[in-house]
Amino acid sequence: MKKNRAATDDPPLLRYLLCGIAFVFIGLFLALPLLVVFSEALAMGLGPVWAAVTDPDTLAAIRLSLLAAAIAVPLNTVFGIAASWAIVKFDFPGKAFLVTLIDLPFSVSPVVAGLIYVLVFGRQGWFGSWLTDHDIHILFALPGIVLATIFVTFPFVARELIPLMSDQGREEEEAALSLGASGFATFWRVTLPNIKWGLLYGVLLCNARALGEFGAVSVVSGHIRGQTNTMPLHVELLYNNYDYVGAFSVAALLALLALLTLALKSFLEWRYADELAAVHRH
Amino acid sequence: MTAATIFSRSTRSRFPGFGLSLGFTLFYLTGIVLVPLLALVLRPFSLHLEDFWAAVSAPRVLAALRLSFGMALAAAAIDTLFGFVVAWVLVRYRFPGKRLMDALIDLPFALPTAVAGIALSTLYAPTGWVGSVLAQHGIKVAYTPWGVLVAMIFIGLPFTVRTLQPVLQDLGRDLEEAAATLGATRPQAILRVVVPMMLPALLTGAALAFARGVGEYGSIIFIAGNLPMKSEIAPLLIVTKLEQFDYAGAASIGVVMLAASFVLLLALNGLQVWAAKRR
């Protein structure tokens, strides 16, 4: 049976060709790299994977990564809410410029992000000698790692909330305020319920990047095994020591986390499409 | 509307928390982003300008910059071409595995770059699944400049697909219909009607992928081989110089890369204005 084709439908040959190209391209560049991680980790069975993941240095790296994310993500979340409240609910000169500045960390190389903190806090940096005199450690210690993580994940929550809150307008809050609700009650009971899924979406992406950041953290961490190595840095260390099973085991842990993030993200896009910024509704 | 005009004078007082929210925003932005960036921008001024030029125009630095920018440009072009095909397939066709493919596109956003780096390097090494096939044809990817290209294609792909997808979705089919009625074949309609309409989105996606590729570090250093003058990217050279305590040298390259980011950011803003005007 031959079906009638609409004028804007592609002929079957073109369709198969384009689908084929898409599958091969995605396979070569996305699917196979993901498969390699798990296949290399499991190359010698589950035993070595368990040994690598429960190694004290790995556990220290996991703890450090979780700690850095636990500080960076809430701070950037508070910032994202404050920035989007100021930008959406008020009119002031220089607003567009402020939005551009908030996006800036996304276009800066992670290595440059690490470098700037070295120039501020390093031994030859602005506060270098003062910090040495007072025995305060920022570089090659937790504060530096946290700062670098904050920088690279800086825009995630804000850039999710600004378009979403702009779409929603100001009327609902205006109604609450004119009925006598306090500012905090208005935010807590009107704004927050409206933006909660968008907020979660932003926090999810922020968290994934915070746990996975490599370049910026690599510059400021000092790579002290068991002390200032985060999970991605530990992967590098194991890999460079030719411990491939170990490296890919920790990498598989990070890949599982990435897959979980993607699954949650797809779920939010599917279930709460109307409550996310318009770009994610598809 | 009338209420809004009557009360327009008191806009500021009606919404609470202006001082607090903007104050915190500016404080946080200045402390985390602006002041540290200023430390980088001012650094070359602390040396003599000739020293800055000498640091930037050293052959090894120039080679690294050329590699980073050249390969990022090539990767952005490839990502735009194939990103268009992928976006087209995802928006226009129905096929098994579509949801999975759609979700997989964001993998480079979610997968830590170090993980991507060791995975790509293993995959494209002469002993790897893909590398061994290529090696039979005499093509070496891992540990050569082509490795840089592969990693940059990986890291940039979601930027082009995710920029094109919503635009393609909103694109009405009436112009394509008109083209078909006027006797255009399907490929003609796509290439001469759809592609020109998508031009702002194509350029935006390419610019985003390029910006990401130029600055990328984690996924590249494992696959590139990192030979000075050959397969050494600019961000790696910054790290190398920092490890040798050559702060001035590192800052000089950093300033060049930061300037490139600024130019790209301006170009992207310009593209957005252009796209809005065309709509």
Side-chain angles (χ1 to χ4, degrees):
Chain A
M1 275 251 291
K2 203 179 167 195
K3 273 199 290 183
N4 278 332
R5 202 156 49 78
T8 54
D9 281 347
D10 295 338
L13 196 65
L14 182 64
R15 204 178 318 182
Y16 293 136
L17 182 72
L18 292 182
C19 270
I21 293 175
F23 268 105
V24 170
F25 192 75
I26 298 289
L28 278 179
F29 285 98
L30 299 183
L32 283 181
L34 187 62
L35 282 180
V36 156
V37 173
F38 294 105
S39 117
E40 289 288 318
L42 295 169
M44 304 198 179
L46 269 172
V49 177
W50 181 250
V53 170
T54 51
D55 178 85
D57 287 344
T58 308
L59 290 177
I62 295 175
R63 257 194 305 274
L64 180 61
S65 279
L66 289 176
L67 182 60
I71 301 170
V73 174
L75 279 172
N76 278 344
T77 305
V78 172
F79 163 75
I81 293 172
S84 47
W85 180 266
I87 285 166
V88 173
K89 303 301 177 195
F90 302 94
D91 298 308
F92 53 91
K95 199 149 103 170
F97 185 60
L98 180 61
V99 175
T100 306
L101 282 182
I102 290 174
D103 265 350
L104 187 60
F106 271 165
S107 46
V108 172
S109 168
V111 167
V112 173
L115 170 69
I116 58 178
Y117 293 111
V118 174
L119 295 180
V120 175
F121 299 113
R123 236 187 304 167
Q124 305 171 35
W126 279 359
F127 305 126
S129 50
W130 188 86
L131 289 169
T132 321
D133 291 348
H134 293 77
D135 200 29
I136 302 172
H137 298 281
I138 292 189
L139 285 188
F140 315 132
L142 181 67
I145 294 171
V146 170
L147 277 171
T149 307
I150 291 179
F151 185 95
V152 293
T153 58
F154 191 86
F156 275 106
V157 177
R159 73 149 33 182
E160 203 51 48
L161 289 185
I162 293 169
L164 176 64
M165 283 169 70
S166 304
D167 282 355
Q168 290 175 344
R170 302 175 181 172
E171 284 88 359
E172 286 187 36
E173 282 97 348
E174 275 166 1
L177 289 166
S178 67
L179 290 171
S182 71
F184 183 73
T186 305
F187 170 76
W188 193 252
R189 303 178 68 170
V190 179
T191 311
L192 204 56
N194 277 340
I195 62 168
K196 60 176 185 278
W197 297 115
L199 184 64
L200 185 63
Y201 192 94
V203 168
L204 189 70
L205 297 185
C206 185
N207 182 59
R209 180 74 195 264
L211 289 173
E213 178 51 27
F214 177 75
V217 172
S218 165
V219 172
V220 296
S221 108
H223 302 268
I224 307 167
R225 188 172 183 153
Q227 283 183 41
T228 63
N229 256 4
T230 61
M231 281 171 84
L233 295 178
H234 196 55
V235 170
E236 182 198 27
L237 184 135
L238 293 172
Y239 188 82
N240 287 343
N241 288 343
Y242 304 104
D243 179 1
Y244 294 128
V245 170
F248 277 102
S249 299
V250 183
L253 212 58
L254 285 164
L256 281 178
L257 202 80
L259 288 178
L260 184 69
T261 304
L262 286 186
L264 280 171
K265 180 174 165 298
S266 297
F267 174 76
L268 286 178
E269 281 167 3
W270 167 72
R271 178 70 180 77
Y272 298 104
D274 298 341
E275 296 171 60
L276 297 178
V279 254
H280 305 304
R281 292 171 197 160
H282 53 254
Chain B
M1 190 62 219
T2 44
T5 30
I6 292 168
F7 291 118
S8 62
R9 272 169 176 275
S10 57
T11 303
R12 261 159 203 250
S13 58
R14 233 166 352 125
F15 268 98
F18 180 65
L20 182 68
S21 60
L22 188 66
F24 178 69
T25 300
L26 292 178
F27 170 74
Y28 194 71
L29 179 73
T30 309
I32 300 283
V33 178
L34 299 183
V35 169
L37 279 179
L38 198 66
L40 172 61
V41 174
L42 292 182
R43 191 81 192 188
F45 291 103
S46 68
L47 10 140
H48 296 290
L49 210 56
E50 304 97 79
D51 293 341
F52 172 71
W53 278 122
V56 171
S57 59
R60 185 174 170 189
V61 176
L62 281 182
L65 287 170
R66 206 177 299 132
L67 181 71
S68 277
F69 282 87
M71 282 300 179
L73 199 63
I78 293 169
D79 275 335
T80 307
L81 180 67
F82 287 95
F84 184 70
V85 174
V86 172
W88 182 265
V89 163
L90 283 174
V91 170
R92 292 287 174 100
Y93 302 162
R94 296 156 67 104
F95 54 90
K98 179 172 154 165
R99 272 214 100 79
L100 189 68
M101 187 194 270
D102 196 19
L104 204 58
I105 301 292
D106 285 324
L107 183 72
F109 282 155
L111 194 69
T113 52
V115 177
I118 64 170
L120 287 170
S121 154
T122 306
L123 190 61
Y124 285 87
T127 49
W129 294 345
V130 179
S132 58
V133 177
L134 292 173
Q136 284 170 5
H137 298 87
I139 305 170
K140 275 190 73 180
V141 174
Y143 320 123
T144 73
W146 300 117
V148 178
L149 183 68
V150 166
M152 283 181 178
I153 292 174
F154 169 87
I155 212 76
L157 185 65
F159 289 95
T160 59
V161 177
R162 291 298 184 230
T163 309
L164 294 170
Q165 233 175 342
V167 182
L168 209 50
Q169 203 115 47
D170 293 343
L171 206 65
R173 296 207 184 184
D174 36 352
L175 282 173
E176 284 170 68
E177 261 166 32
T181 341
L182 293 171
T185 63
R186 231 4 236 163
Q188 275 178 327
I190 294 174
L191 287 180
R192 301 181 59 178
V193 176
V194 177
V195 170
M197 284 197 288
M198 301 280 297
L199 203 57
L202 286 165
L203 287 174
T204 305
L208 287 169
F210 177 74
R212 181 66 206 260
V214 165
E216 180 54 21
Y217 173 73
S219 58
I220 297 175
I221 55 163
F222 295 98
I223 194 176
N226 307 327
L227 281 174
M229 306 295 298
K230 259 190 162 164
S231 53
E232 182 181 54
I233 52 167
L236 176 66
L237 196 51
I238 295 180
V239 173
T240 309
K241 289 202 181 275
L242 276 178
E243 278 166 2
Q244 297 162 349
F245 300 103
D246 179 6
Y247 280 29
S252 302
I253 309 173
V255 165
V256 173
M257 304 214 53
L258 188 67
S261 312
F262 269 119
V263 171
L264 275 167
L265 207 60
L266 286 177
L268 279 164
N269 276 350
L271 274 171
Q272 260 172 4
V273 173
W274 182 44
K277 264 188 197 158
R278 278 170 58 123
R279 218 165 268 157

